[in-house]
Amino acid sequence: MAKVILDAGHGGQEPGAVFNGRQEKDDTLRLALAVGEILKNNGVEVAYTRTEDVYDTPFEKAQIANQEGGDFLISFHRNSSPQANQYSGAETLVYDRSGKKVELAENINRNLEQAGFRDLGVKERPGLVILRRTRMPAVLVEAGFLNTQADNELFDSQFEAIAQAIADGVLETIGQGTEDQMQSQSQERLYRVQTGAFKRREYAEDLLYRLLSQNFPAYILREDDYYKVQVGAFRQLDNAVRMEEALRRQGYATFITM
Ligand SMILES: [Zn+2]
């Protein structure tokens, strides 16, 4: 039986993002518990890093997860932007772009998009403790922006569908092919359009959010000590060239990489 660890972000004295009295720690716990119920009903073993309003540091949570052991870990969070109602959508964070966690992250994002969230993509965040200190493939889901009204309305009105979407992402990943098949998928050559490379993550994020606000499917790739901002991943070079043209029309400096 597959086993999944569910980590409700924040808790106790540490509320996470706060907006108009709404606290991230409450949304993350509610969502983790709902996803857990669905997974259990589908024959998946579930363990939680917390089921109550308590605080543990990310290090302690990673330790709880490692002691519990599991095939995957999902950490639940809600995003926050510098200003209210600035951004909208769901994204899933991974330590790096390798292995099964990327499949899981992509499956979750695709399903969340069907549940109504704008898909902000899968992003690398090698600095996050819960992603780097856990021994199982781990993803961190940012289920919309807590300081964006539209995302909160979606979160509340489509709560069951959102929980189902995340659970479906897990079930699809568990049921998906063999390790070998996944390896060959991840080694496939893809063309990507790069718009910038920065030593400092803040600069990369500024560019990322500008691209996302113009509806470009951008993400950050950490590689060779740089935060590289890239757009799309294409099997056909022609499609990468077309994306590059669209970006250049908006004034971005670009080149195609593999
Ligand atoms: Zn959070």
Side-chain angles (χ1 to χ4, degrees):
M1 199 204 287
K3 181 171 176 182
V4 177
I5 314 284
L6 302 179
D7 170 52
H10 312 283
Q13 75 225 36
E14 206 252 307
V18 176
F19 179 62
N20 289 345
R22 187 174 186 128
Q23 302 185 92
E24 184 184 354
K25 66 173 184 176
D26 300 324
D27 283 357
T28 62
L29 181 56
R30 197 175 149 222
L31 187 56
L33 294 173
V35 170
E37 280 309 305
I38 298 168
L39 289 176
K40 281 191 256 179
N41 290 337
N42 283 277
V44 176
E45 195 181 340
V46 172
Y48 299 94
T49 58
R50 71 176 175 103
T51 54
E52 296 170 352
D53 186 18
V54 293
Y55 176 71
D56 285 297
T57 66
F59 286 98
E60 288 164 332
K61 289 177 146 190
Q63 209 172 23
I64 294 168
N66 289 338
Q67 277 162 6
E68 191 65 53
D71 299 296
F72 291 104
L73 175 133
I74 304 172
S75 186
F76 294 84
H77 286 259
R78 298 210 53 215
N79 227 330
S80 177
S81 50
Q83 288 148 41
N85 300 309
Q86 196 174 8
Y87 305 122
S88 180
E91 62 186 15
T92 302
L93 312 178
V94 293
Y95 175 72
D96 64 19
R97 286 189 173 267
S98 72
K100 276 182 161 181
K101 59 186 179 293
V102 179
E103 300 285 330
L104 175 60
E106 284 170 354
N107 287 337
I108 288 173
N109 266 27
R110 194 184 52 252
N111 285 302
L112 281 175
E113 191 180 23
Q114 280 163 17
F117 276 121
R118 193 166 146 207
D119 181 4
L120 299 181
V122 174
K123 290 170 197 163
E124 291 197 6
R125 287 292 158 78
L128 291 177
V129 169
I130 196 72
L131 299 181
R132 73 186 298 169
R133 289 296 185 112
T134 41
R135 293 200 198 101
M136 65 287 293
V139 303
L140 188 154
V141 179
E142 297 273 17
F145 285 79
L146 188 105
N147 61 350
T148 294
Q149 196 60 39
D151 280 8
N152 287 340
E153 279 165 16
L154 183 72
F155 188 92
D156 294 335
S157 67
Q158 298 301 310
F159 182 77
E160 289 304 324
I162 290 164
Q164 184 71 50
I166 296 170
D168 283 346
V170 175
L171 296 169
E172 285 166 18
T173 310
I174 289 169
Q176 231 171 44
T178 64
E179 188 75 30
D180 286 351
Q181 283 169 325
M182 286 178 200
Q183 291 269 304
S184 67
Q185 272 171 20
S186 67
Q187 280 164 12
E188 187 174 49
R189 294 193 139 204
L190 295 171
Y191 300 97
R192 302 178 311 227
V193 186
Q194 186 158 312
T195 54
F198 305 90
K199 285 275 185 193
R200 292 188 56 181
R201 196 168 96 189
E202 302 91 276
Y203 296 149
E205 287 187 341
D206 282 348
L207 178 56
L208 173 74
Y209 284 125
R210 202 157 76 231
L211 287 161
L212 291 173
S213 72
Q214 293 175 297
N215 288 319
F216 287 111
Y219 54 89
I220 293 174
L221 182 73
R222 180 98 168 107
E223 201 175 61
D224 308 330
D225 259 358
Y226 282 92
Y227 294 96
K228 297 179 175 177
V229 183
Q230 300 185 338
V231 182
F234 305 93
R235 286 194 184 83
Q236 307 288 330
L237 180 58
D238 283 0
N239 293 333
V241 169
R242 229 165 285 140
M243 176 59 82
E244 184 168 49
E245 286 165 358
L247 284 160
R248 287 192 171 170
R249 275 197 297 276
Q250 298 294 325
Y252 294 103
T254 63
F255 70 92
I256 291 175
T257 179
M258 286 184 73

